[in-house]
Amino acid sequence: MMMNRRAFSTALLAGAAASLVSSRGMAATTPPVTARNVVLVHGLFADGSCWSGVIPRLQAAGLNVTSVQNPLTTLADAVASAQRVLDRQDGPTVLVGHSFSGMIVTEAGVHPNVSALVYVAARAPDADEDYTALAKTYPTPPASAGIVFDGDEGRLSEQAFLRDFAGDLPEAKAKVLYAVQQPFHKQLLAGKTSHAAWRSKPSYYAVSTEDRTINPDLERFMAKRMGATTIEVKASHLALISQPDAIARLILDAARQPS
């Protein structure tokens, strides 16, 4: 049957519209990764290798990943170390912090290369906020009692590390992590952030529901206050090691934010 010109045009437009709706639907289902880079920052009692389970998952998605070696001396030193790495990135970058390094993410996250922030069981203070005072409004987590000092250097005792920091990891693995934990300087804990990058950047938060290092309810409070896209992971403070799939997925979600 022959189709007249008007009917043909109508059919062509309808097909184009259907194709557009279909392609939009696919894009909504699998949004492209818009950040090319991810910068990871470790917290206390750890080093850059603590991200070794997350890194290959991000690299498999085509992202350029750098794990910062946080000096754990002063907040200013730690922020400067992260900023130097951020300076080297060639475009939109997701900045990720675990534990104490949430302070670094909050301060350094105002860097123009940073497109989104991810907090993994991490501190997330407001500008000029006394984080220690904020934490005291919640029950003290058990790990705090396990910090021991040798002069100005602090570390976790082996018992506290295995039970309260890495409680959901196999003991043999947790003992390896304990052996390589980096001491922190008392001066590090005295620093305050002067910026709150989460007030202007898309933010994501992974709450560790079994955390014995930062109170999980404090984590929930900070995530809610910043309006973060939030997941809850049944994990110890080391969700980045015990649940790398969940943490990598959250980072990939952050990477898909428009730059």
Side-chain angles (χ1 to χ4, degrees):
M1 181 183 296
M2 296 293 291
M3 182 182 294
N4 64 36
R5 182 175 298 176
R6 177 175 294 178
F8 176 78
S9 298
T10 301
L12 185 63
L13 288 171
S19 175
L20 181 60
V21 170
S22 175
S23 64
R24 282 179 175 171
M26 289 176 62
T29 303
T30 56
V33 173
T34 57
R36 295 191 293 270
N37 313 296
V38 176
V39 170
L40 308 167
V41 192
H42 69 84
L44 305 184
F45 323 122
D47 66 9
S49 68
C50 66
W51 295 102
S52 59
V54 173
I55 290 170
R57 288 163 169 82
L58 301 179
Q59 291 175 331
L63 293 170
N64 172 53
V65 186
T66 306
S67 182
V68 177
Q69 294 293 356
N70 181 352
L72 299 178
T73 49
T74 68
L75 181 60
D77 288 347
V79 169
S81 180
Q83 287 174 331
R84 286 193 293 273
V85 175
L86 290 170
D87 287 342
R88 296 200 297 267
Q89 305 310 303
D90 62 353
T93 302
V94 178
L95 180 60
V96 187
H98 171 244
S99 191
F100 175 85
S101 71
M103 302 276 291
I104 301 166
V105 168
T106 298
E107 183 73 9
V110 297
H111 192 287
N113 281 342
V114 175
S115 57
L117 314 170
V118 179
Y119 294 80
V120 180
R123 300 184 181 198
D126 205 344
D128 299 314
E129 183 172 49
D130 185 337
Y131 176 83
T132 300
L134 172 64
K136 286 180 178 178
T137 63
Y138 291 82
T140 302
S144 298
I147 299 175
V148 293
F149 283 94
D150 178 14
D152 287 335
E153 289 189 342
R155 58 180 57 79
L156 274 182
S157 69
E158 183 173 11
Q159 182 181 32
F161 193 101
L162 301 183
R163 180 189 60 202
D164 302 324
F165 187 66
D168 60 345
L169 298 180
E171 184 174 333
K173 186 170 187 175
K175 282 188 172 182
V176 171
L177 295 171
Y178 169 74
V180 300
Q181 75 163 305
Q182 297 298 301
F184 68 91
H185 291 233
K186 282 183 179 178
Q187 187 71 20
L188 180 68
L189 303 182
K192 286 185 181 181
T193 56
S194 57
H195 300 94
W198 50 262
R199 289 195 171 276
S200 59
K201 302 286 178 83
S203 301
Y204 295 73
Y205 201 109
V207 173
S208 285
T209 63
E210 313 302 307
D211 205 325
R212 292 169 61 87
T213 301
I214 295 180
N215 188 298
D217 285 333
L218 173 56
E219 294 177 13
R220 293 182 181 105
F221 165 78
M222 292 184 290
K224 183 177 180 180
R225 178 172 67 172
M226 70 172 72
T229 298
T230 304
I231 63 170
E232 297 212 348
V233 185
K234 188 175 182 180
S236 71
H237 194 56
L238 292 180
L240 68 169
I241 297 176
S242 65
Q243 301 285 345
D245 284 328
I247 302 307
R249 282 196 300 269
L250 186 65
I251 296 170
L252 288 171
D253 285 344
R256 295 183 180 110
Q257 280 291 324
S259 59

